[in-house]
Amino acid sequence: MRTSSRRSVADSLSAIHVDLQGERVLRDGDRVAVIGGGPAGSFFSYFLLKLAESVDLDLAVDIYEPRSFSGCGPAGCNHCGGIVSESLVQILAAEGINLPPEVVQRGIESYVVHMDAGSVRIASPAGEQRIAALYRGNGPRHGGEMPWDSFDDYLQGMAIERGASVVRKLVSGVEWHAGLPHLRDADGGREAYDLVAVASGVNSNFLGLIEDLPERASPPKTTRTYICEFRSTREEIQRVLGNSMHVFLVAIPRLEFAALIPKGEFVTLCMLGEHIDQDLIHRFLRTPEVRGCFPVETTPSVCTCSPLINVRGMRQPFADRLVMIGDSGVTRLYKDGIGAAFRTAKAAAATAVFQGVSADDFRKHYLPACRRISRDNAIGKLLFGFTGVFKVSAASRRAVYRMTEREQAGTGGSRHMSEVLWNMFTGSAPYREILFRTLHPAFLGGLAWNLGAALWSGRNGKAA
């Protein structure tokens, strides 16, 4: 790819003329800025350049990312528990993106679900290690010389190989002049671009620095989560946690999901829910189910953070020559944020190359992809509401445990509860598909039977 210098005055006047004609399309030599070098920004840059090459369109792409993902600690942290779902692994492979061993800390073979009724292991329905535990950024504080590469650094490298350039500057705002967006950087510089893709996420205030956004493009609704890293030895982590992600279904209000994820010589604790605070964290850590899963040889936490996550996306994640992708626009509720970054980035790139970069172009060809995610999130919210009701009932928890345990102990046959839990934990399936599975007569019948057995055993003081 050819590296473009600053546009000449003649080129800028030509672009203004094209805008006056109502045609906002990318042309040879146009410049594209991507704000944020995480998965959404790197995916967008990669697909934009790949698709542009397929139609002989020569673009210059600058990825603005002041952080480096090559060293350990907060300077390059990207606030993520770090799981790539099995469905996304397959989708990436179909695109020719195969995660190398240096990026994947551990292949997750199974999930172990912990409840007060007991613990049960749910094996992968396909029997394959297709879930990757990884570090999005550069790894936790005090990680030393890590024997792996970060996921974000790997994706950024793919975009660079396609021809993108990384600009190590902090963008302080976006303003419009003569119909084109101009980026302001922290050093006082200003650069004109033909398209700006915002992939800064919700843990920066950048969305509030964009001038003249439409009212419908208000920032996403967010909630705070909790991520903590503990260090132990590989041997101890393997002994206690194995190649499994450990999930906790405990009756604690406001807690939607909590898990321990083994990664090399570290264990990541991830908690999702409504307004995670210190009281909720301490209540969770004191439960017997959690205390029994920590390796004995464990240091105090080496790294903690409480990042924001997007729980309701923008209604209009675009404007003329501006598009918001990944967390900056819309993402999946609680799960598979990397998958949502992939889908929104590819849809936005395809729109920019094949359709145009006006607000109307993004409304017709990009917004439908965002709305599919939003509609699925509404179903997800309903499912998490049902899960919350089940968690507060001891009989319901025993019924879920009983049904799952019997499915996993059997040879062959349907595993309705196991598949529902697997897809809820991994984010491998849309929430819509999970809802349909819960409405299957065999699922409802099995749940009702096990709920009755749990109630009877509880009334008679017997084990479920």
Side-chain angles (χ1 to χ4, degrees):
M1 284 288 176
R2 170 163 55 89
T3 301
S4 175
S5 60
R6 183 187 296 270
R7 294 174 59 92
S8 66
V9 173
D11 284 342
S12 296
L13 290 174
S14 175
I16 296 170
H17 174 72
V18 171
D19 276 353
L20 290 174
Q21 298 296 318
E23 300 175 3
R24 293 178 174 86
V25 296
L26 294 177
R27 301 166 300 150
D28 273 348
D30 276 356
R31 306 179 70 205
V32 178
V34 182
I35 314 301
S42 292
F43 277 135
F44 176 82
S45 303
Y46 174 84
F47 283 115
L48 185 76
L49 291 167
K50 181 180 179 180
L51 296 174
E53 184 180 20
S54 72
V55 293
D56 261 347
L57 178 63
D58 187 12
L59 300 175
V61 177
D62 291 334
I63 302 174
Y64 282 81
E65 178 53 75
R67 297 171 298 176
S68 171
F69 302 127
S70 59
C72 297
C77 177
N78 238 355
H79 311 294
C80 180
I83 286 288
V84 176
S85 70
E86 55 182 323
S87 58
L88 182 57
V89 170
Q90 295 177 42
I91 292 170
L92 292 178
E95 296 284 354
I97 302 172
N98 296 294
L99 300 181
E102 294 78 16
V103 170
V104 179
Q105 273 76 68
R106 192 179 292 260
I108 299 297
E109 298 174 340
S110 62
Y111 279 66
V112 179
V113 186
H114 300 275
M115 296 174 273
D116 54 357
S119 300
V120 57
R121 178 180 180 271
I122 303 177
S124 166
E128 300 177 14
Q129 295 185 33
R130 293 186 298 173
I131 300 179
L134 46 80
Y135 278 111
R136 279 263 325 271
N138 55 7
R141 189 195 306 268
H142 308 308
E145 293 297 323
M146 292 294 192
W148 55 72
D149 297 329
S150 83
F151 179 71
D152 287 19
D153 195 50
Y154 173 73
L155 294 183
Q156 198 175 100
M158 291 195 323
I160 292 171
E161 287 180 5
R162 275 282 169 190
S165 300
V166 177
V167 181
R168 300 294 182 191
K169 290 183 178 180
L170 180 65
V171 179
S172 59
V174 180
E175 56 192 37
W176 267 258
H177 298 285
L180 292 178
H182 289 61
L183 302 190
R184 300 190 307 269
D185 62 50
D187 299 326
R190 183 179 282 108
E191 290 284 339
Y193 286 92
D194 300 279
L195 172 65
V196 174
V198 179
S200 56
V202 293
N203 282 286
S204 76
N205 63 350
F206 182 75
L207 289 173
L209 302 176
I210 304 175
E211 297 181 0
D212 301 324
L213 275 179
E215 183 179 344
R216 291 173 60 88
S218 57
K221 180 182 178 182
T222 61
T223 189
R224 198 164 291 282
T225 64
Y226 180 73
I227 297 173
C228 185
E229 303 284 351
F230 299 90
R231 190 169 197 164
S232 185
T233 64
R234 289 178 177 270
E235 295 75 19
E236 182 69 4
I237 291 173
Q238 181 66 35
R239 182 186 70 81
V240 177
L241 301 177
N243 292 332
S244 298
M245 183 168 168
H246 293 250
V247 178
F248 302 88
L249 297 183
V250 290
I252 299 178
R254 296 187 287 120
L255 181 63
E256 297 287 2
F257 177 84
L260 288 174
I261 309 167
K263 299 176 184 175
E265 60 189 51
F266 289 90
V267 178
T268 301
L269 168 62
C270 181
M271 298 175 63
L272 305 176
E274 289 293 327
H275 307 295
I276 304 292
D277 55 21
Q278 288 299 313
D279 177 64
L280 181 57
I281 294 167
H282 291 314
R283 287 184 63 190
F284 172 75
L285 291 175
R286 286 196 298 266
T287 61
E289 295 85 3
V290 177
R291 292 171 62 183
C293 284
F294 267 90
V296 175
E297 301 174 14
T298 304
T299 63
S301 61
V302 296
C303 202
T304 63
C305 64
S306 298
L308 297 170
I309 59 171
N310 179 332
V311 293
R312 189 177 66 200
M314 285 185 174
R315 289 184 295 169
Q316 182 179 316
F318 55 82
D320 284 333
R321 298 188 180 275
L322 180 75
V323 62
M324 274 67 86
I325 54 180
D327 284 359
S328 296
V330 64
T331 189
R332 285 197 72 197
L333 180 67
Y334 296 138
K335 308 290 180 181
D336 196 26
I338 297 173
F342 168 86
R343 291 173 178 84
T344 57
K346 187 176 181 182
T351 299
V353 171
F354 299 130
Q355 307 299 333
V357 294
S358 71
D360 282 342
D361 293 321
F362 287 123
R363 181 176 294 107
K364 292 175 183 176
H365 304 285
Y366 173 61
L367 186 59
C370 298
R371 283 180 171 167
R372 282 193 292 272
I373 295 173
S374 295
R375 286 194 295 267
D376 196 56
N377 284 345
I379 297 173
K381 191 171 184 179
L382 181 67
L383 287 172
F384 280 108
F386 287 151
T387 302
V389 172
F390 267 82
K391 285 193 299 185
V392 299
S393 166
S396 296
R397 296 194 299 272
R398 290 198 302 271
V400 171
Y401 169 74
R402 178 189 177 94
M403 186 172 175
T404 308
E405 183 186 44
R406 279 156 176 72
E407 288 176 352
Q408 291 297 309
T411 56
S414 299
R415 299 186 174 186
H416 298 286
M417 180 61 76
S418 298
E419 291 183 1
V420 166
L421 292 176
W422 179 271
N423 287 324
M424 283 289 287
F425 298 153
T426 64
S428 295
Y431 289 122
R432 178 175 178 270
E433 181 180 321
I434 298 172
L435 177 62
F436 285 160
R437 287 182 181 274
T438 64
L439 298 177
H440 193 284
F443 177 89
L444 294 173
L447 181 58
W449 190 89
N450 282 280
L451 183 57
L455 287 169
W456 182 86
S457 63
R459 188 177 299 116
N460 291 275
K462 298 179 180 179

